Amino acid sequence: MHDDNMKSDHLNNKVDITALPFSQACENNKQPIFEVLQTELQGFSHVLEVGSGTGQHSVYFAPNLPEIQWQTSDVISNHRHIVAWHDAYPAPNLYSPLAFDLNTDAIPFSSRADSPYDAIFTANTLHIISWSLVERLFALAGDALSVNGKLIVYGPFNEHGTYTSEGNQRFDTMLRAGNANSGIRNKEDVVHLANSHHLKLINTYTMPANNQLLVFQKH
């Protein structure tokens, strides 16, 4: 079943994908991200996805990482989108979204899970939320993860305070015009923040569309 899903790009031909909430960015980056997760999550068993969004990533990653319990989470207003994708593409190791609002909530846990989280994954969140919430996310992750647990973060980052592409500069301008508290983060600031919560950057992957995937490990 899992091999078939992989070959068919995990699309159920009986489902009308146009009827589901859709993110083109998720569609474009799911395979490159999966290829990294396949390596970085070897031997891991329970992942919390923070900010599951439409749910597209979860329905692709979970069946192709069958040894991992994949727990989705997001603010409640996004749950209907995630559930719609889960209903269309169910998997035995894919868990319904938990309510998680960084403004008010602690790390959520499911009563269905049989182990604590040994990894936390989040994609395209750090540049959307405020810096104070980025700080809270790393603090919560540092507390929740055991030694050797991983925090895996995907998205655009500046290098040495400089945009890595003209496209990222335009994107950052658009983000800040909509919300002055959002914006592409400086990688060095994120690494410094991680270090303050016992999370060490162990791997950096260059990803398509001027994005990066940062892997932090608890020590």
Side-chain angles (χ1 to χ4, degrees):
M1 176 179 176
H2 297 122
D3 289 341
D4 289 342
N5 281 340
M6 192 65 151
K7 293 175 183 176
S8 64
D9 204 27
H10 189 46
L11 291 180
N12 182 340
N13 292 331
K14 294 181 180 179
V15 175
D16 179 8
I17 195 171
T18 63
L20 296 171
F22 186 80
S23 165
Q24 188 60 53
C26 286
E27 190 65 21
N28 293 345
N29 63 37
K30 65 184 183 182
Q31 180 61 26
I33 293 175
F34 167 72
E35 290 171 2
V36 174
L37 295 182
Q38 195 173 31
T39 298
E40 291 289 346
L41 293 178
Q42 286 187 16
F44 285 64
S45 62
H46 193 195
V47 173
L48 171 67
E49 180 183 12
V50 174
S52 299
T54 62
Q56 284 168 255
H57 276 158
S58 65
V59 300
Y60 188 70
F61 298 154
N64 291 312
L65 296 167
E67 71 284 0
I68 289 176
Q69 299 172 86
W70 194 273
Q71 176 63 65
T72 54
S73 72
D74 212 320
V75 294
I76 292 176
S77 59
N78 284 337
H79 283 201
R80 59 189 177 89
H81 303 311
I82 302 166
V83 170
W85 276 91
H86 288 193
D87 287 346
Y89 304 107
N93 61 322
L94 178 58
Y95 290 6
S96 299
L98 298 175
F100 186 28
D101 186 333
L102 272 169
N103 286 287
T104 56
D105 298 337
I107 290 283
F109 289 90
S110 171
S111 59
R112 292 177 54 196
D114 56 18
S115 63
Y117 302 124
D118 47 15
I120 296 173
F121 168 78
T122 190
N124 289 326
T125 54
L126 268 58
H127 58 278
I128 301 298
I129 61 179
S130 67
W131 180 250
S132 63
L133 291 185
V134 174
E135 291 177 321
R136 180 165 168 75
L137 172 60
F138 275 76
L140 290 173
D143 288 341
L145 293 171
S146 299
V147 173
N148 296 323
K150 291 180 178 179
L151 171 62
I152 302 176
V153 181
Y154 172 89
F157 295 92
N158 293 332
E159 297 271 8
H160 308 294
T162 303
Y163 297 109
T164 60
S165 71
E166 291 182 2
N168 277 1
Q169 184 172 9
R170 290 192 297 270
F171 182 46
D172 187 61
T173 299
M174 181 191 72
L175 287 169
R176 294 178 187 276
N179 180 354
N181 291 319
S182 65
I184 296 177
R185 308 304 174 188
N186 292 321
K187 182 177 174 181
E188 294 77 16
D189 293 340
V190 174
V191 171
H192 179 74
L193 173 62
N195 288 341
S196 70
H197 294 289
H198 307 288
L199 296 164
K200 180 181 179 181
L201 181 66
I202 59 168
N203 283 315
T204 299
Y205 296 86
T206 299
M207 306 296 281
N210 301 303
N211 290 301
Q212 298 182 42
L213 196 151
L214 310 181
V215 181
F216 299 93
Q217 190 163 43
K218 177 77 173 288
H219 62 88

